[in-house]
Amino acid sequence: MGFSWARVGTWIVAGVIGLVYGVAGTIGQAAMWGAVPLGLVIAVIGAGALLLAVRNLTDDRWAALACGLGAMLATLVFSGRGPGGSIVVPAPADGQLSTGIVWTIAVPLLAAVIVGWPSHATRAAEPAEETTN
């Protein structure tokens, strides 16, 4: 694949989509349903599905990388302490599962696996061999 402005536009759109989902996942990952971290489960499944969809629909690992980098950037920005001192991802109590840390690690791992996964090899249809008796 050579350079084209359409590919650059695809990378930019994929990065913005990753940013938006990264913000949503970072905020939503803390939701609990009893003892089950339901927000984290949904955020990780959604991030994996988003990255896989971008990779498959664009057939471009660079677009999936842009989407993953956008999600990682949003996670990094929104996981820290804000300028006013507010914290979106609070630290858990001692001995509890830190869904924020799991989310922060899961996004780059998903991106690495999906971007690094081998492409589907498409072979040209070979003509059928003719058998003569």
Side-chain angles (χ1 to χ4, degrees), residues 5 13 17 25 27 44 49 53 61 79 88 94 102-103 113 115 127:
W5 287 107
V13 170
I17 290 170
I27 293 170
V44 170
R61 71 180 67 235
S79 291
V88 175
D94 289 337
V102 173
W103 170 248
V113 168
V115 170

Side-chain angles (χ1 to χ4, degrees), residues 8-9 13 23 53 59-60 81 86 89 94 107 115-117 120 127-128 130:
V8 173
V13 170
V23 170
D59 198 29
D60 185 8
R81 184 176 304 271
S86 63
V89 182
D94 289 337
V107 172
V115 170
W117 199 263
H120 298 289
E130 294 182 25

Side-chain angles (χ1 to χ4, degrees), residues 14 17 49-60 63-65 67:
I17 290 170
L50 174 67
L51 289 166
L52 192 61
V54 168
R55 171 80 192 265
N56 284 334
L57 290 173
T58 62
D59 198 29
D60 185 8
L65 180 63
C67 185

Side-chain angles (χ1 to χ4, degrees), residues 61-110:
R61 71 180 67 235
W62 293 101
L65 180 63
C67 185
L69 288 174
M72 285 186 269
L73 179 65
T75 300
L76 176 68
V77 169
F78 282 91
S79 291
R81 184 176 304 271
S86 63
I87 300 173
V88 175
V89 182
D94 289 337
Q96 288 188 344
L97 173 69
S98 174
T99 57
I101 291 176
V102 173
W103 170 248
T104 304
I105 294 170
V107 172
L109 284 177
L110 284 170

Side-chain angles (χ1 to χ4, degrees), residues 3-16:
F3 175 81
S4 75
W5 287 107
R7 283 187 75 196
V8 173
T10 301
W11 300 339
I12 292 169
V13 170
V16 170

